[in-house]
Amino acid sequence: MSEETQRQLGSHNSPIEDKLEDAFTRMLSEGAQRLHRTWRGLLVTGFFGGTEVALGVLAYLAVLDATHRPLLAGLAFSIGFLALLLGHSELFTEGFLVPVTTVAAKRASFVQLFKLWGGTLFANLVGGWVVMCLIMVGFPQLRAQTVESATHFATAPMSAQTMSLAVLGGMAITLMTRMQHGTDSMTGKIAAAVAVAFLLAGLQLFHSILDSLLIFGALITGRAPFGYFDWLTWFGYTVAGNMLGGLLFVTLLRLLRSTDRLREERADAEAS
């Protein structure tokens, strides 16, 4: 089918299918708003993201401590992702598909992208650390489970296995973003959040923010068999793996799928 025929058959005068066009338009609109936030807006939004995921970690730990079933605890963790969705806050790892598409369309700059990534990452960690302090003080019965869960990540050396888990973690969270932007249905968005929470937490994929909060909780107890330097070492390769999975295996392929539409958007941006 020629591009001209596809334009004539679709509801939009676009070189891509109608559903992809709708998702593309939503991503550009949201991405432009996110990338043009002030520093205050960016940091507050990221701080909320960290606190909300920490509440998901609380649910995860409570269910895991009671049942010793990681898959069931992974479903409980979905509370954190539902809070992100309904509260319109943000995780660092949610910043791969939508903002990168916006920059590729020349509706924002790379400087704004790096500002979003750096500010959100910092604020996520600070917000999460604060709430993990409250959780460890308020729920002393969960301290042993927190240390056990965190040790699994913090003491894991960089290897083919751990890098694979980090890449899969980045793919999963970016897939959640892609699915949620591919539908107008709130039920569909919620289903995507629950499904990816099951994958990330239930299967213990390596996720730079989620697992850092577990590690922070263990460090706060004073009983962890590791320190902040061990966390930083783990965090470094996990962030790299998350970015590789999210950017290469999801975002890049989505950009390639929408190349013709991106070309049009870039031309409009240059003309204006």
Side-chain angles (χ1 to χ4, degrees):
M1 181 185 296
S2 68
E3 180 180 312
E4 181 179 354
T5 302
Q6 187 163 321
R7 289 177 184 271
Q8 292 172 350
L9 291 175
S11 300
H12 302 286
N13 182 27
S14 173
I16 57 178
E17 295 94 326
D18 290 341
K19 289 188 179 296
L20 288 179
E21 172 63 26
D22 291 339
F24 185 86
T25 302
R26 279 193 293 267
M27 284 193 289
L28 283 188
S29 176
E30 180 185 322
Q33 294 177 55
R34 288 164 63 182
L35 285 163
H36 287 85
R37 285 182 187 140
T38 63
W39 272 110
R40 181 179 63 183
L42 190 156
L43 292 174
V44 170
T45 303
F47 185 89
F48 276 135
T51 61
E52 289 162 0
V53 168
L55 294 178
V57 171
L58 171 59
Y60 172 85
L61 289 170
V63 173
L64 186 61
D65 185 60
T67 67
H68 303 290
R69 295 182 180 275
L71 296 180
L72 189 59
L75 290 176
F77 171 74
S78 63
I79 292 171
F81 281 170
L82 291 175
L84 288 174
L85 171 66
L86 301 177
H88 303 287
S89 50
E90 186 168 4
L91 280 185
F92 159 69
T93 47
E94 290 183 295
F96 298 153
L97 178 61
V98 175
V100 170
T101 300
T102 306
V103 171
K106 291 194 172 181
R107 296 300 180 181
S109 68
F110 280 103
V111 171
Q112 289 170 311
L113 177 64
F114 296 143
K115 172 186 172 183
L116 176 71
W117 282 350
T120 303
L121 178 60
F122 172 77
N124 284 167
L125 295 174
V126 172
W129 189 91
V130 169
V131 175
M132 289 306 299
C133 280
L134 296 175
I135 291 172
M136 291 300 99
V137 173
F139 295 91
Q141 68 273 24
L142 296 180
R143 293 176 185 173
Q145 182 62 65
T146 303
V147 172
E148 179 184 340
S149 298
T151 301
H152 170 76
F153 298 103
T155 61
M158 186 173 69
S159 64
Q161 180 184 13
T162 54
M163 278 300 295
S164 295
L165 291 172
V167 170
L168 288 170
M171 290 176 62
I173 193 72
T174 310
L175 176 62
M176 182 179 77
T177 304
R178 180 184 169 192
M179 290 191 292
Q180 290 177 339
H181 283 82
T183 179
D184 288 322
S185 166
M186 182 53 70
T187 301
K189 294 176 187 289
I190 291 172
V194 173
V196 172
F198 174 81
L199 287 175
L200 274 177
L203 298 181
Q204 296 183 313
L205 301 183
F206 280 32
H207 185 267
S208 51
I209 304 301
L210 161 61
D211 303 331
S212 286
L213 302 195
L214 283 171
I215 294 170
F216 289 164
L219 290 167
I220 290 164
T221 68
R223 305 174 184 174
F226 51 82
Y228 279 98
F229 181 77
D230 298 298
W231 163 73
L232 192 60
T233 302
W234 171 88
F235 183 74
Y237 76 74
T238 301
V239 165
N242 287 170
M243 295 186 72
L244 179 62
L247 293 173
L248 181 61
F249 291 104
V250 181
T251 302
L252 179 59
L253 293 177
R254 188 57 180 267
L255 293 178
L256 290 174
R257 182 66 183 82
S258 305
T259 299
D260 294 333
R261 184 65 180 84
L262 269 174
R263 190 179 296 116
E264 290 183 350
E265 196 66 32
R266 291 166 66 92
D268 289 343
E270 291 171 354
S272 61

